[in-house]
Amino acid sequence: IILGPTGKNGIFDNSKKDIKILTDGSFLIKYLASAIPSESFILKIFKEVSKKTSLLSGDGTSTTILISCSLLKDSIRYLIAGYDSFFISNGLKKIAFFLVEQVRFFSKPISNIDQLIRLLKTQLGKKLNDNLIDLLVNSLFKLGRDGLLLVEENFIPKNEIETIQGIELDKGYASSYFVNDLKTFEVIYEIPYILIAKDEINDLNQIKDIIEYIKSKNSSLIIIAENIDKKIFSTLVLNTIQKKIKLAIIKYNSIKFLKNGILEDLSILSHCNFFESNIPLKNRIYSVKDLGQVEKAIIKKEKSIFIISKFSKLIAKRKINELNRELISSETEHEKIIFKTRIARLAGNITKIKIAFSNKYQIEEDRQKIEKSILTIRSSLEEGILPGGGIFYYFLNQELKNWSYLNLFGDEIFSTQIVSNSLLKPIEELCNNNNKKAFLILNEINKFGYPYNYNLFDNKYSNSFENGILDSAKAIRAILWNSLTIIALLITSE
């Protein structure tokens, strides 16, 4: 239903949850369930496989599920007919390695901005208006390799783009009781104070002055600490629940965070004190002078985003110059990686796309599509691009048949037919969504040859790399590998 840029959206609703707009396979399968245990098990397996593909490349969840279903269905038919599951499984594994190598062989790096734009339009299709796509293209230049993209509602009937200086931690809130935005299940504070506590907090008197100051200012506080006494933590949580104070706590791993310098970078950008001494001090009394401040903090379950003021850019530039000097004098490769990462972090920007005010379901749909598209762009820059629109799977199908006769033995050869049928599913389903006949399109494609494909939007045949539709090579690799390996495992399991 939702496969490809021309696919339809799904809408999920039940008595316990809000209505959800489902724009790709990972969201759709997340809300599917079955009362039959075997079907429920298969759904869970497909959910994990599609999630793995999405995390790796940002795209391909629907195609992963589609190919996996086809592989499993045809494999079961062969097993029922009496063929050896071990040989078919072994054949699927061999084919998985071959197809991954073919993806790497045929992929080409992105050579111009036009290819980047066409890749973006392939990903988004007609589900976003042209103005929003243009804004997204412009944001790519500002994002850089390590940038971060946020999507939120605008208060005027106009789409806008805004660049903000910021930093991201890969740790989220220490307790869900700190959550103050139940729609997104996030902690969101405007202009909060920041305390980075390197030493253990085991007495409330250590932060008593800060708590009183925050209350008097009617502001919010975010404590970033490695160790907090359980009683102190429980007291702070209880005060937050009772709305006596606006607070959130982030617990970090000292070895990881101190070695990569992320806490020092945050302290620089937020103007808070960071005690660099490696000798821990018991019962350190923290004062108001140790506090820093950021423009906005967005704390999720697994990560935290701090948006800093524009004035911090000047301080960041000085620190970047200092780190560049240390990078030149560094001797080991490990040190160089750390310095390069810190420079990128301090120089990196957060780009915010503000969507013209609309209903919350439309904004949620646009947010999902934009976030996925950014992941796809980054994965394409890493591993290149390939012909899109399901056509590359068809070309792989032709390569597979020639290879299998020389490399598969015994019952392994039947796995070729299983995979061959599955590789045709993406183009067939895309054509069905557009009321087209797949066999007619494939006949024309055979006349043109690789790398031509068919654009379902314009009803034209074109060279994919010159002016046709494109897909991320990393997404295709992840789809094929995840689908084939999980089915190879399933058919040899009890």
Side-chain angles (χ1 to χ4, degrees):
I1 297 170
I2 57 177
L3 181 66
T6 58
K8 301 176 181 65
N9 294 331
I11 300 177
F12 173 82
D13 178 37
N14 68 11
S15 58
K16 297 180 181 179
K17 297 183 179 180
D18 293 332
I19 292 173
K20 296 285 185 182
I21 303 296
L22 310 175
T23 58
D24 66 23
S26 61
F27 289 101
L28 177 62
I29 201 168
K30 181 180 178 181
Y31 295 104
L32 291 178
S34 175
I36 303 171
S38 58
E39 290 183 0
S40 179
F41 169 74
I42 295 297
L43 282 173
K44 288 178 182 178
I45 291 290
F46 286 170
K47 186 189 298 184
E48 291 302 314
V49 171
S50 63
K51 182 181 177 181
K52 189 176 179 181
T53 301
S54 180
L55 290 173
L56 186 66
S57 63
D59 191 19
T61 50
S62 302
T63 310
T64 302
I65 296 167
L66 178 66
I67 291 178
S68 297
C69 287
S70 177
L71 287 169
L72 183 60
K73 186 178 178 181
D74 288 347
S75 296
I76 290 172
R77 284 177 179 171
Y78 276 90
L79 296 185
I80 292 172
Y83 293 96
D84 194 315
S85 61
F86 174 79
F87 284 105
I88 292 177
S89 174
N90 201 38
L92 291 176
K93 291 175 184 177
K94 286 183 178 180
I95 290 171
F97 281 104
F98 168 71
L99 294 181
V100 165
E101 286 300 319
Q102 290 300 106
V103 168
R104 289 172 176 161
F105 176 77
F106 283 104
S107 66
K108 290 187 176 182
I110 295 176
S111 57
N112 55 60
I113 190 61
D114 178 60
Q115 288 182 341
L116 204 63
I117 294 170
R118 283 190 284 116
L119 179 66
L120 200 58
K121 288 185 176 180
T122 302
Q123 170 75 7
L124 298 172
K126 292 184 178 179
K127 292 182 181 179
L128 288 184
N129 59 56
D130 291 338
N131 175 253
L132 206 52
I133 290 176
D134 291 339
L135 282 179
L136 190 53
V137 171
N138 292 332
S139 70
L140 291 174
F141 296 102
K142 298 181 180 182
L143 271 176
R145 184 181 178 86
D146 300 299
L148 181 68
L149 185 74
L150 297 176
V151 182
E152 65 179 39
E153 184 179 4
N154 206 356
F155 297 104
I156 58 174
K158 182 182 178 182
N159 297 318
E160 293 182 324
I161 186 171
E162 181 182 351
T163 303
I164 305 161
Q165 190 79 5
I167 197 166
E168 180 180 327
L169 303 180
D170 59 356
K171 282 286 182 181
Y173 45 73
S175 170
S176 58
Y177 288 110
F178 296 123
V179 171
N180 62 355
D181 189 329
L182 295 177
K183 290 182 180 178
T184 58
F185 215 72
E186 297 171 349
V187 181
I188 301 176
Y189 285 129
E190 300 283 348
I191 318 179
Y193 285 93
I194 306 290
L195 173 66
I196 300 177
K198 190 176 178 183
D199 297 305
E200 183 179 0
I201 300 175
N202 49 29
D203 191 336
L204 201 58
N205 288 325
Q206 291 178 254
I207 55 173
K208 183 180 178 182
D209 292 342
I210 292 174
I211 297 294
E212 290 176 354
Y213 178 77
I214 296 299
K215 284 183 177 179
S216 66
K217 287 282 187 178
N218 192 28
S219 186
S220 52
L221 173 67
I222 297 171
I223 299 175
I224 303 170
E226 181 183 6
N227 294 311
I228 298 181
D229 184 79
K230 289 182 179 180
K231 291 182 180 179
I232 305 300
F233 184 82
S234 300
T235 303
L236 294 173
V237 168
L238 184 61
N239 278 269
T240 304
I241 294 171
Q242 295 174 346
K243 300 190 182 300
K244 292 181 180 179
I245 187 172
K246 300 174 185 176
L247 181 76
I249 296 174
I250 301 170
K251 289 186 177 181
Y252 68 86
N253 180 293
S254 62
I255 296 174
K256 179 182 177 182
F257 274 56
L258 295 178
K259 280 191 173 183
N260 63 21
I262 195 166
L263 292 180
E264 184 184 353
D265 295 341
L266 179 59
S267 69
I268 291 168
L269 296 173
S270 62
H271 314 290
C272 69
N273 283 341
F274 178 70
F275 303 97
E276 295 187 12
S277 174
N278 291 323
I279 302 173
L281 181 65
K282 289 186 177 180
N283 299 323
R284 183 193 291 275
I285 304 298
Y286 295 97
S287 68
V288 176
K289 292 181 181 179
D290 298 324
L291 294 177
Q293 206 166 18
V294 293
E295 289 291 312
K296 187 176 182 179
I298 304 169
I299 307 173
K300 304 183 181 182
K301 185 179 179 180
E302 296 176 346
K303 67 178 179 179
S304 306
I305 301 164
F306 297 94
I307 299 170
I308 65 168
S309 66
K310 296 179 181 178
F311 301 105
S312 298
K313 290 184 178 180
L314 297 174
I315 300 173
K317 284 182 179 178
R318 289 200 292 269
K319 185 63 180 179
I320 287 169
N321 292 335
E322 180 185 327
L323 290 171
N324 275 318
R325 288 194 293 271
E326 291 184 27
L327 175 63
I328 294 170
S329 60
S330 60
E331 296 179 357
T332 66
E333 191 64 32
H334 178 67
E335 287 179 345
K336 289 179 180 178
I337 291 171
I338 291 175
F339 287 131
K340 286 178 181 178
T341 304
R342 291 189 65 185
I343 291 166
R345 187 189 302 132
L346 288 168
N349 292 320
I350 294 177
T351 301
K352 185 188 292 183
I353 290 181
K354 296 182 176 181
I355 302 172
F357 61 76
S358 178
N359 63 76
K360 66 175 184 179
Y361 305 116
Q362 181 66 41
I363 290 169
E364 183 61 27
E365 180 194 352
D366 290 347
R367 179 186 285 112
Q368 290 176 13
K369 297 300 293 183
I370 289 170
E371 288 174 354
K372 294 280 184 181
S373 66
I374 292 299
L375 282 173
T376 303
I377 291 295
R378 285 176 174 164
S379 66
S380 301
L381 291 171
E382 289 174 10
E383 296 193 16
I385 49 177
L386 288 165
I391 290 296
F392 186 71
Y393 299 103
Y394 173 68
F395 289 121
L396 277 181
N397 188 24
Q398 296 173 323
E399 295 290 329
L400 173 63
K401 288 178 181 178
N402 296 330
W403 172 86
S404 61
Y405 292 123
L406 299 174
N407 295 276
L408 300 182
F409 308 98
D411 283 357
E412 290 178 353
I413 198 69
F414 296 109
S415 59
T416 304
Q417 189 59 45
I418 295 171
V419 176
S420 180
N421 292 338
S422 302
L423 291 176
L424 295 177
K425 289 295 178 181
I427 184 64
E428 288 176 354
E429 290 299 322
L430 284 169
C431 290
N432 289 338
N433 282 343
N434 289 269
N435 298 318
K436 304 285 185 182
K437 300 293 184 182
F439 73 92
L440 295 176
I441 292 172
L442 294 177
N443 285 338
E444 290 297 318
I445 290 292
N446 285 331
K447 296 176 183 177
F448 291 106
Y450 184 85
Y452 275 77
N453 63 15
Y454 180 70
N455 192 324
L456 292 164
F457 289 151
D458 304 326
N459 295 322
K460 291 180 180 177
Y461 296 92
S462 55
N463 186 306
S464 301
F465 297 113
E466 293 178 1
N467 52 14
I469 52 179
L470 298 166
D471 267 343
S472 163
K474 191 173 185 178
I476 293 175
R477 177 177 66 81
I479 289 165
L480 294 169
W481 179 261
N482 292 335
S483 302
L484 286 162
T485 52
I486 193 62
I487 301 304
L489 175 67
L490 276 177
I491 62 175
T492 54
S493 304
E494 290 293 336

